[in-house]
Amino acid sequence: MPSGKRGHFPVGTPVLEAARQLGVYVESVCGGRATCGRCQVSVQEGNFAKHKIVSANDHLSPIGPKEKRYAEVRDLPEGRRLSCSALIQGDLVIDVPQDTVINAQVVRKAADERVIARDPAVHMCYVEVEEPDMHKPLGDLDRLKAAIAADWKYDNLEVDFHLIPQVQSILRKGEWKVTAAIHRDQESERPRLIALYPGLKNEAYGIACDIGSTTIAMHLSSLLSGRTVASAGASNPQIRFGEDLMSRVSYVMMNPDGREAMTNAVREALNGLIDKVCADGGVSREDILNAVFVGNPIMHHLFLGIDPTELGGAPFALAVSGAVHLKSAEIGLPMNTGTRIYMLPCIAGHVGADAAAATLAEGPHRQDEMMLLVDIGTNAEIVLGNRHRVVAASSPTGPAFEGAEISSGQRAAPGAIERVRIDPATLEPRYRVIGIEQWSDEPGFEEAAAKVGVTGICGSAIIEVVAEMFLTGIISEDGVVDGSMAARSPRILQNGRTFSYLLRDGEPRITVTQNDIRAIQLAKAALYAGVKLLMDKQGIDHVDRIGLAGAFGTFIDPKYAMVLGLIPDCELDKVKAVGNAAGTGARMALLNRGHRREIEETVRKIEKIETALESKFQEHFVYAMALPNKVDAFPELSKVVTLPERKQISDDGGEGSGRRRRRSRE
């Protein structure tokens, strides 16, 4: 327990061996010598009718001298046993405590709770090496390799060259007892010694990192227990070279040192984050032995020092699409000299390793339901499918959802409006601001606002305010602000031939202009058109489940995203934020080599759709400019929201004589 796996074993089998045969990963760095204490278990006593057995402590062998010695030196909690020494004598229910269990890294979601089973590419192996003997003229390194082969079955071991000059001094410092860090990503490759420590080294770490075009998220994890030790995030410094991906490609094309400047910038930021997670976790950089990175194709290429120019135009050729293996020192990320880096494969020209990681985390390829996975950023990455077929595409939404191109837009930070509601009768708004607990119409808000400030609108509020303006009739389905409503409310302001909505009358004055609404329409139409193309390819008219990935997706209200027409109609309780799914996928690949093989195989099977080459994209795009859509019905949304009667408003904000006639096909 808690995995629930069971089996039959001969009397006298060590509990550790039984666990391994069942595929339950119980750590034992010391190789069964009862010195590391990582293999602790406890017996659940009682009559288990479900299993038809009686489990008791005396169904284990008595505590032996090794366990007694460990308990005296290191303290063994009451009721715990060392599974390497405890032998099975009868029926047992064994509990692997969560503070020692190897697969204790839990990824929590709204609908389920999953465990990341631990099988990392780096294993820590404690060995005792024979001392030199005049009668056995074998070198120290060769005797070390022989000990590792005998105790850990790592035959034909390769050794990083940087270790060879150090082997003798490390062996003597450890008095011929050392811990070897062995790296083997795939079973078919030769194991490699990448680090060596005197004595017992009871811990090793890895980092999983999602390099986003806007933000970078990094997690430091224990490779032995799977627990996340520390997490940190930072803005991607490449933003200064361009808000969106194509502007960064343009910068590279137009500046001879552009690629080098952006590569150096992101690596400097990563080094800063490594320092931060190490400081927060009390870990030395030298103890990081493995790292996994993901990112969209342009971030992927710039991180590796590859010119992304080819991704700037058709046929959007990737320099490398498969998984990448390298040493961290080769790309300016000094950790341990032997640290290995793994990068997940990219799916297509503009659907990257981050989308692959999100797919690994959410697993549309593992389920029967048709799942839509959307990572909304400056370039939206879309995956749609189930266990039978998965298709993927990217859609150029631009940075509007992140506050760029919006008159009062800003990134999510204290002072940014993050939630908006508009009274349908008075058109008066109420809103919530990051860093202020109260809503704007609640006592104490203005006092708090005087300290924090109200500075602009962030992405989640941009979606909500436009959706609320539509629901209250301030804008039409075509996104035009209804100037005639100025007679009802002083918040409808005239700006030349167009109108805007006054959200906050203060300093600064925060309004939602006609141009703001157009920018949101263009962004959401690009995303929705990409989704529709994938639905066409799958031959479906609805999706069963929607996952909103990324930091932005975490804060989107699914109802308002659907009112806006950002995502297709779906049961609202089947739409959920899946957080930084790319970061979760990176952690899965860090902690388990099997997940690397799974996503490599899955990516080979995913069908890539290039939106720029699809003739129906423009048609879907035009229909998607309307709120929520010109032709698609939203029956599930209509169950929870009363969508307004459609009205046609001319571009100058005046109400026309009636609805524009639809084409005959509609």
Side-chain angles (χ1 to χ4, degrees), residues 576-652:
K576 63 175 181 175
V578 295
N580 183 11
T584 299
R587 286 208 315 278
M588 291 171 69
L590 175 70
L591 296 173
N592 193 309
R593 298 176 298 164
H595 289 311
R596 301 183 185 187
R597 308 293 86 80
E598 176 189 350
I599 195 57
E600 288 166 6
E601 180 183 356
T602 301
V603 165
R604 284 192 288 269
K605 294 178 180 177
I606 292 176
E607 298 173 45
K608 299 85 177 176
I609 310 301
E610 184 48 65
T611 55
L613 303 178
E614 295 292 329
S615 58
K616 288 201 72 175
F617 182 84
Q618 189 63 29
E619 181 182 333
H620 287 316
F621 181 87
V622 171
Y623 291 154
M625 282 291 288
L627 303 174
N629 193 279
K630 201 71 150 180
V631 296
D632 288 352
F634 281 74
E636 294 297 335
L637 177 63
S638 298
K639 292 177 183 177
V640 293
V641 173
T642 302
L643 295 174
E645 289 292 322
R646 289 174 164 175
K647 60 181 177 181
Q648 181 64 40
I649 300 172
S650 60
D651 288 339
D652 62 2

Side-chain angles (χ1 to χ4, degrees), residues 218 220 230-234 269-283 285:
M218 182 178 289
L220 175 68
S231 297
L270 290 169
N271 273 313
L273 280 177
I274 293 170
D275 285 338
K276 184 170 189 340
V277 293
C278 284
D280 291 348
V283 171
R285 285 179 77 123

Side-chain angles (χ1 to χ4, degrees), residues 375-645:
D375 191 341
I376 307 169
T378 53
N379 187 67
E381 294 173 319
I382 315 162
V383 178
L384 176 68
N386 56 20
R387 69 174 71 253
H388 303 295
R389 185 188 184 199
V390 181
V391 294
S394 66
S395 210
T397 53
F401 291 128
E402 294 174 344
E405 301 178 355
I406 304 298
S407 60
S408 297
Q410 68 165 87
R411 300 197 187 282
I417 295 173
E418 62 172 342
R419 294 276 178 258
V420 178
R421 302 290 181 267
I422 299 176
D423 188 288
T426 65
L427 305 187
E428 284 297 303
R430 55 191 294 265
Y431 47 84
R432 190 163 187 176
V433 176
I434 298 174
I436 300 176
E437 189 174 333
Q438 302 94 334
W439 282 73
S440 61
D441 60 345
E442 293 178 346
F445 173 83
E446 289 300 337
E447 290 80 0
K451 296 177 183 177
V452 176
V454 182
T455 52
I457 318 172
C458 72
S460 59
I462 290 167
I463 287 176
E464 291 190 8
V465 72
V466 175
E468 282 278 314
M469 289 170 73
F470 172 61
L471 291 174
T472 54
I474 295 173
I475 60 175
S476 68
E477 66 162 337
D478 292 321
V480 179
V481 180
D482 186 352
S484 67
M485 299 191 81
R488 278 182 54 190
S489 171
R491 291 191 175 271
I492 309 299
L493 307 175
Q494 186 162 4
N495 306 107
R497 293 189 59 195
T498 63
F499 291 81
S500 59
Y501 177 73
L502 179 62
L503 183 58
R504 177 174 171 83
D505 192 6
E507 184 57 45
R509 202 176 200 216
I510 299 174
T511 60
V512 182
T513 69
Q514 186 65 70
N515 286 340
D516 294 340
I517 295 165
R518 280 284 178 263
I520 292 299
Q521 284 179 281
L522 290 167
K524 76 97 175 179
L527 174 56
Y528 193 89
V531 172
K532 284 292 289 183
L533 281 179
L534 296 190
M535 292 174 69
D536 290 347
K537 295 295 179 183
Q538 291 279 22
I540 61 172
D541 59 7
H542 75 282
V543 297
D544 300 315
R545 187 177 295 278
I546 299 175
L548 300 172
F552 183 49
T554 302
F555 295 100
I556 295 176
D557 186 315
K559 180 180 76 173
Y560 287 105
M562 212 175 286
V563 170
L564 192 67
L566 186 67
I567 52 176
D569 190 58
C570 184
E571 292 179 45
L572 276 174
D573 62 357
K574 295 289 186 72
V575 184
K576 63 175 181 175
V578 295
N580 183 11
T584 299
R587 286 208 315 278
M588 291 171 69
L590 175 70
L591 296 173
N592 193 309
R593 298 176 298 164
H595 289 311
R596 301 183 185 187
R597 308 293 86 80
E598 176 189 350
I599 195 57
E600 288 166 6
E601 180 183 356
T602 301
V603 165
R604 284 192 288 269
K605 294 178 180 177
I606 292 176
E607 298 173 45
K608 299 85 177 176
I609 310 301
E610 184 48 65
T611 55
L613 303 178
E614 295 292 329
S615 58
K616 288 201 72 175
F617 182 84
Q618 189 63 29
E619 181 182 333
H620 287 316
F621 181 87
V622 171
Y623 291 154
M625 282 291 288
L627 303 174
N629 193 279
K630 201 71 150 180
V631 296
D632 288 352
F634 281 74
E636 294 297 335
L637 177 63
S638 298
K639 292 177 183 177
V640 293
V641 173
T642 302
L643 295 174
E645 289 292 322

